[in-house]
Amino acid sequence: AAGIPVKERVKVSQNWRHGRCRRETVLKWKCKQVASFSSSFLMPWMELDGEYLYLSQAENIQAYQLCAEGTGLQRHPQAIFSGHQEDVCRFVLVNSHIVSGGGDGSIVLHKIHGSYSVKFSAHEQEVNCVDFQGGLIVSGSRDRTAKVWSLSAGRVGQCLHTVQTEDRVWSIAISPLLSSFVTGTACCGHTSPLRIWDLESGQLLTCLGTDFHRGAGVLDVFYETPSLLLSCGYDTYIRYWDIRTSTRKCVQEWEEPHDSALYCIRSDKNHMIASGSSYYGVVRLWDKRQTRCLQSFHLSSPTSSPVYCLRFSTTHLYAALASALHVLDFTAS
């Protein structure tokens, strides 16, 4: 919000609250047929970084420059990061590095400015999720393991710990304190889909929640602070955890009103949460101070696509669906 005049900030804030925005489909791509989430391919993922939006399409990650005015982005990528033999499942962008996990079971590290890249074989099956902080990578896979990898000099790509999760790992995140990481699993082989592990030893520290139904897999997790964590997934709930007060019960929860699985979640680390649903490209905005959804936007009809990933800035929200990238511009009058 820095540099935006106060009057403009108030207008943009009101636009978010009332759902006033200009919608645009800024990129389209061909979509291979995918039966369901169980095939972990063709799920575009993205990250925002100042003037650029990074988007995975098949086995590449492409960097698109955002236009200074309006919603758009340059139609041709400024840079393409490659290295995977199969589709990129997820990637993160941290400190001018991109770390990606692919359907080929490998992890690839790129330095954004420069030609440096490293690739190493990480898992026996596809790497569904990765995170990268403080010189360590954590990865989760369909092979029912999560792993911790070193990136320190002379030990790049060395596996420090292998955690047996007994379940496919859908989501993973390192705590901001760099002391632990959380895994979100399928909740089929193990009754707790949310578990926190010690980063140094790989030992289980705690399970979050109780009485999850079988199949209540956690598809996305997001740390707001070292003790505040958001999760969402197949059981249609957004859950807000405060691990200082309780690991057994979340402090707040919101239910997706149309009983759809929730594929992705983000917050502004203040009052607003955005979630992406599994049907008809539905993006919902939530206010933590309210129990009901604040606004919803249907981005794909008549064909139905999940919202695989969403990111937002002060003024724009970007949503990646099966075959297109949509932008909501909240600066519109």
Side-chain angles (χ1 to χ4, degrees), residues 5 31 34 45 94 98 101 116 120 143 162 249 263 281-282 326 333:
C31 173
V34 182
W45 198 252
V94 181
I98 292 174
Y116 174 81
F120 55 91
D143 68 9
T162 298
K249 212 169 158 34
Y263 274 31
V282 174
H326 299 265
S333 301

Side-chain angles (χ1 to χ4, degrees), residues 251-318:
V251 288
Q252 273 178 286
E253 63 182 25
W254 298 269
E255 187 176 9
E256 210 288 330
H258 291 157
D259 206 34
S260 298
L262 294 171
Y263 274 31
C264 53
I265 194 170
R266 266 296 178 273
S267 89
D268 63 355
K269 300 188 177 181
N270 191 15
H271 297 304
M272 197 185 85
I273 299 170
S275 64
S277 301
S278 57
Y279 294 114
Y280 298 106
V282 174
V283 170
R284 296 193 197 278
L285 303 181
W286 308 79
D287 186 322
K288 289 179 193 165
R289 298 162 295 187
Q290 299 179 22
T291 53
R292 295 177 64 184
C293 158
L294 194 63
Q295 294 294 337
S296 58
F297 306 92
H298 295 249
L299 301 180
S300 88
S301 63
T303 57
S304 176
S305 166
V307 179
Y308 288 115
C309 185
L310 54 78
R311 293 288 181 270
F312 57 84
S313 63
T314 313
T315 53
H316 294 79
L317 185 146
Y318 302 85

Side-chain angles (χ1 to χ4, degrees), residues 4 39 70 180 286:
I4 301 174
S39 164
S180 60
W286 308 79

